[in-house]
Amino acid sequence: MPFFSNLDIFLFSLIAGLLVYWLIFRKKVEPIPEFKKLDAQTTRETSFIDKMKKTGKNIVVFYGSQTGTAEEFSNRLSKDAHRYGMKGMSADPEEYDMSELSRLPEIENSLAIFCMATYGEGDPTDNSQDFYDWLQEGDADFTGVKYTVFALGNKTYEHYNAMGKYVDKRLAELGAQRIFDLGMGDDDGNLEEDFVSWREQFWPAVCEHFGVEATGEESSIRQYELKVHSDLNMNKIYTGEVGRLKSFENQKPPFDSKNPFLAPVSVNRKLNKAGDRHLMHLELDITGSKIRYESGDHVAVYPINDSVIVSRIGEVLGVDLDTVISLNNLDEESNKKHPFPCPSTYRTALTHYLDITNPPRTNVLYELAQYATEPKEQENMRKMASSSPEGKALYQSWVLDSCRNILAILEDLPSLRPPIDHLCELLPRLQARYYSIASSSKVHPNSIHICAVVVEYETKTGRVNKGVATNWLKSKMPTDNGHKATVPMYIRKSQFRLPFKSTNPVIMVGPGTGIAPFMGFVQERGWLKEQGKEVGETVLYYGCRHKNEDFLYQEELEEFEKTGVLTALNVAFSRDQAEKVYVQHLLKKSKEAVWRLVHTDNAHIYICGDARNMARDVQNAFYEIAEELGGLSRAQAVDYIKKLMTKGRYSQDVWS
């Protein structure tokens, strides 16, 4: 009798076959091959040196960019290179292995340019954080590396251009050779003019250093080519998503700048009781998103442009905005395949992806000038893009002072009718807008509060300009015809934090919408008290124009004062009397109490609001108090406050 019957053998073979089938094909559904593919891709592309060699580039322009300006400048410099018989590439330091910088001398006549913006309190931008950390820790040898830095910042901030200055200094310490002076761009003045003036002197210095000559080619070079799609499946077309296609339809955490969360608006109310401004309080529902935030963080929202302006651009240029297009990079090796998510329609690009409301920079005018058929108009556009004093003055008055956006320029230059695809290539990306969060996650774990003023003003040309984000947020009512209004958002962490010890007193100074983060702080101090924690003095200096018009959160603040959560509520109503009274006046009025809290009781000071005037005036008030009550000279008082900043006891969340 056989050991196995035929049935046994059949069953055994069947089971073995199924097992083999399962082992082989099970692997196919596992995501392992995808990871392998990704790894190969990352290793292949993290070497900017290999990429430069492969594509014959000898200039690399790195950018540290938070709002897109440094990236824009970097693109302009890499495009410039070909006018001098050189080849440039623009690069995001986050995407490359920056330790490879030491290999740059392997490429003949090579140069690294850094366009570095400073964010907040002298911090690096998100995309250059790793590079900054590496520079601080590293001891690389950059002998033979040639470089230059252009810094972007704002003079009204304490740490003006800190990131650019640091990169410039650190590269030299590591042995690199600076071939042109550090450029200083000031956004409080005219950043564009600073950049153009620096660039005008920079290229001749490069030519001299490398012994090359300008080719004289001034013609504009297209970076992208247009492809019109006639029969694309609608599911393959971007409709406003920032990153992954259809990411707004099937939302998946984690949520960040490339993958924002669509937060439903649960509250949208007007805060001011009267006056001609509209101050609003919004609440975004983050239930189920796994988003965490701390008091003092920022919420970033992605706004969309006014459909009236978008349609008008289409009318002026005589195009069908619903044409489906892709703009594809002519440099196939570039990491940046498209200027914005493609395929998309012109309408989607102008609504979601492109900045159509800020005055265009000079390079946009220069490139568009070729399409002006009227010689005088063409000449003026070229002049505004030049570095001649006359051209700079014309750009300042005609574009900047008159707040002309691209639509106003097209309307006021009737002979200028560029192809819409070139216009879309040149316009910068529409950026997320940051707001200080006006709530505490301890009290509102599933909700983020925003406090903002709606921007609307008349320009010198008689047009009405409206702030993109604030007007868009104003229209976001909790239910819109049965649909929930949503806002694409993510959280940006901040250094603006309550003291670690709840017993430390806090002094908060925030006029107008600068009250926002302090609503979160006060809520949190109240919550700590409820938990039975000992909480130090909580003092607020708040300023507005009129008590019965724009005293924001009046009821809540007075209630906090009544219950003792706020130890002192000091409010300056600047226009309720003949002489203007501001927060700095109230600080000086209670100087003894302020000095005791700061000098004896280890208080933490927080300033939020306008950087240009308020933050400076408040800082001066603290200098004066330190001089008068601490018996210090002016220089010692300045040093005293600087030390508080270094220790993290004097923090600012300011904007200009």
Side-chain angles (χ1 to χ4, degrees):
M1 186 184 164
F3 199 66
F4 288 121
S5 73
N6 286 346
L7 182 63
D8 287 338
I9 292 167
F10 171 73
L11 287 172
F12 181 74
S13 308
L14 185 65
I15 290 163
L18 285 169
L19 191 63
V20 169
Y21 179 87
W22 181 74
L23 280 168
I24 291 171
F25 288 92
R26 176 191 65 135
K27 288 215 165 13
K28 287 206 172 168
V29 295
E30 284 190 0
I32 292 167
E34 204 178 326
F35 287 134
K36 278 186 181 153
K37 190 176 78 200
L38 275 175
D39 280 352
Q41 194 180 340
T42 355
T43 45
R44 193 183 77 238
E45 291 186 346
T46 55
S47 170
F48 64 88
I49 297 291
D50 293 352
K51 180 175 272 196
M52 287 172 78
K53 286 179 174 178
K54 192 169 156 191
T55 53
K57 306 271 196 325
N58 59 342
I59 290 183
V60 58
V61 194
F62 292 105
Y63 57 86
S65 192
Q66 197 67 35
T67 62
T69 311
E71 183 179 355
E72 208 182 307
F73 285 0
S74 146
N75 284 330
R76 283 161 72 175
L77 289 168
S78 71
K79 264 175 135 179
D80 278 347
H82 97 285
R83 292 190 183 134
Y84 302 92
M86 301 169 104
K87 283 183 86 179
M89 68 177 256
S90 173
D92 181 344
E94 201 171 31
E95 290 180 7
Y96 293 102
D97 175 2
M98 294 304 286
S99 66
E100 289 229 318
L101 204 52
S102 55
R103 288 182 56 203
L104 195 61
E106 292 174 17
I107 297 168
E108 199 184 344
N109 281 0
S110 58
L111 170 66
I113 306 172
F114 293 84
C115 290
M116 305 308 283
T118 299
Y119 185 80
E121 294 296 286
D123 303 318
T125 57
D126 291 352
N127 78 314
S128 55
Q129 181 69 54
D130 292 346
F131 174 50
Y132 174 72
D133 294 342
W134 179 78
L135 276 180
Q136 282 192 307
E137 296 152 13
D139 53 353
D141 179 6
F142 287 158
T143 310
V145 173
K146 292 168 181 179
Y147 79 95
T148 189
V149 179
F150 183 81
L152 297 85
N154 188 309
K155 256 208 180 87
T156 55
Y157 288 71
E158 185 71 30
H159 305 278
Y160 174 50
N161 275 333
M163 184 60 184
K165 289 174 184 167
Y166 176 75
V167 171
D168 181 61
K169 175 174 129 306
R170 187 69 182 129
L171 290 174
E173 285 171 0
L174 294 170
Q177 180 190 355
R178 180 189 299 110
I179 69 154
F180 191 67
D181 296 340
L182 168 69
M184 298 282 269
D186 176 20
D187 204 21
D188 185 48
N190 183 337
L191 185 58
E192 176 69 14
E193 189 178 307
D194 295 337
F195 176 67
V196 169
S197 305
W198 177 83
R199 174 176 162 243
E200 205 71 19
Q201 294 171 296
F202 164 68
W203 283 114
V206 170
C207 289
E208 196 181 328
H209 185 89
F210 291 114
V212 293
E213 276 183 37
T215 58
E217 270 187 64
E218 285 298 311
S219 64
S220 92
I221 314 143
R222 291 292 300 263
Q223 202 180 337
Y224 299 92
E225 67 177 345
L226 171 68
K227 179 167 173 44
V228 177
H229 305 281
S230 50
D231 51 357
L232 253 193
N233 179 332
M234 290 312 283
N235 285 327
K236 296 214 166 80
I237 300 166
Y238 282 87
T239 55
E241 307 92 323
V242 189
R244 182 172 53 86
L245 188 67
K246 301 286 173 230
S247 60
F248 286 170
E249 286 174 31
N250 50 2
Q251 293 245 284
K252 293 177 191 157
F255 296 105
D256 56 27
S257 60
K258 304 270 193 319
N259 179 36
F261 174 65
L262 285 183
V265 176
S266 52
V267 173
N268 182 351
R269 63 184 168 95
K270 189 176 177 183
L271 281 171
N272 49 322
K273 302 180 185 75
D276 49 9
R277 296 185 305 158
H278 183 104
L279 293 122
M280 56 187 171
H281 169 88
L282 269 94
E283 296 183 13
L284 306 179
D285 185 356
I286 54 168
T287 309
S289 66
K290 299 198 170 128
I291 290 173
R292 300 275 170 273
Y293 74 95
E294 297 286 329
S295 305
D297 283 343
H298 296 134
V299 57
V301 307
Y302 281 104
I304 62 172
N305 288 314
D306 184 344
S307 60
V308 175
I309 301 177
V310 172
S311 299
R312 182 78 187 117
I313 291 174
E315 270 169 45
V316 170
L317 295 179
V319 282
D320 174 5
L321 292 179
D322 298 312
T323 308
V324 179
I325 57 120
S326 286
L327 286 178
N328 300 324
N329 202 321
L330 289 160
D331 175 0
E332 287 175 8
E333 291 299 320
S334 173
N335 280 10
K336 196 173 181 183
K337 302 299 177 204
H338 315 282
F340 46 79
C342 289
S344 156
T345 63
Y346 287 125
R347 189 182 304 281
T348 298
L350 293 168
T351 305
H352 293 271
Y353 300 136
L354 298 171
D355 183 344
I356 57 174
T357 54
N358 271 316
R361 297 195 184 279
T362 58
N363 65 306
V364 177
L365 300 181
Y366 179 82
E367 299 248 359
L368 292 180
Q370 59 183 309
Y371 301 114
T373 51
E374 157 63 42
K376 190 75 190 139
E377 290 183 0
Q378 186 173 110
E379 186 195 332
N380 278 340
M381 287 179 78
R382 290 242 158 89
K383 191 186 285 175
M384 285 190 280
S386 75
S387 57
S388 71
E390 194 193 348
K392 284 177 179 174
L394 184 60
Y395 176 71
Q396 181 69 46
S397 65
W398 199 78
V399 178
L400 297 181
D401 297 344
S402 306
C403 305
R404 275 187 172 88
N405 59 28
I406 191 64
L407 175 58
I409 287 171
L410 291 170
E411 286 178 336
D412 293 347
L413 298 177
S415 89
L416 176 65
R417 294 297 175 260
I420 190 166
D421 60 294
H422 199 178
L423 182 67
C424 289
E425 173 178 323
L426 292 170
L427 289 173
R429 281 291 291 267
L430 181 60
Q431 298 294 328
R433 304 302 202 261
Y434 298 101
Y435 296 96
S436 303
I437 296 177
S439 52
S440 160
S441 57
K442 302 282 190 290
V443 183
H444 300 284
N446 290 319
S447 166
I448 284 174
H449 299 184
I450 294 175
C451 164
V453 58
V454 176
V455 177
E456 190 170 318
Y457 57 93
E458 190 172 319
T459 72
K460 287 181 177 175
T461 66
R463 294 176 169 94
V464 173
N465 276 8
K466 296 178 173 188
V468 177
T470 51
N471 281 277
W472 171 74
L473 286 170
K474 180 187 173 186
S475 69
K476 293 274 176 187
M477 287 302 154
T479 49
D480 189 10
N481 300 331
H483 293 289
K484 277 207 160 156
T486 56
V487 169
M489 53 71 70
Y490 66 95
I491 298 296
R492 188 178 197 281
K493 293 286 169 206
S494 159
Q495 302 300 312
F496 204 67
R497 287 278 182 268
L498 275 169
F500 181 68
K501 284 185 179 163
S502 61
T503 50
N504 280 105
V506 299
I507 299 171
M508 303 169 288
V509 185
T513 55
I515 185 74
F518 302 138
M519 291 306 293
F521 281 9
V522 176
Q523 287 172 13
E524 190 137 328
R525 301 278 274 192
W527 179 85
L528 287 164
K529 273 196 145 165
E530 280 173 17
Q531 304 302 303
K533 294 255 172 35
E534 192 189 330
V535 176
E537 289 185 48
T538 305
V539 179
L540 175 65
Y541 289 87
Y542 172 64
C544 60
R545 294 177 185 182
H546 303 281
K547 183 171 185 175
N548 359 336
E549 265 186 28
D550 53 0
F551 185 170
L552 307 184
Y553 301 110
Q554 180 178 354
E555 293 76 15
E556 292 96 316
L557 291 170
E558 286 173 349
E559 183 60 29
F560 279 129
E561 187 184 31
K562 212 167 87 185
T563 56
V565 172
L566 265 179
T567 321
L569 171 61
N570 308 284
V571 191
F573 303 108
S574 61
R575 301 181 188 184
D576 273 351
Q577 59 288 309
E579 212 161 289
K580 293 204 170 152
V581 177
Y582 294 118
V583 280
Q584 62 269 23
H585 300 135
L586 296 190
L587 275 168
K588 283 191 271 192
K589 208 169 156 188
S590 50
K591 58 191 174 192
E592 285 83 5
V594 169
W595 183 246
R596 171 184 60 78
L597 286 170
V598 175
H599 193 63
T600 315
D601 301 342
N602 258 337
H604 285 234
I605 301 163
Y606 301 92
I607 321 291
C608 182
D610 156 56
R612 190 173 286 120
N613 303 307
M614 182 277 301
R616 199 166 40 214
D617 293 342
V618 166
Q619 206 161 317
N620 283 330
F622 277 108
Y623 292 157
E624 285 168 33
I625 292 169
E627 279 178 87
E628 199 183 324
L629 296 165
L632 308 175
S633 67
R634 181 40 114 71
Q636 288 171 321
V638 169
D639 192 48
Y640 183 91
I641 298 297
K642 287 261 189 319
K643 281 205 173 84
L644 290 183
M645 288 176 176
T646 313
K647 288 179 186 162
R649 279 184 51 207
Y650 189 113
S651 308
Q652 302 189 81
D653 180 2
V654 291
W655 54 84
S656 62

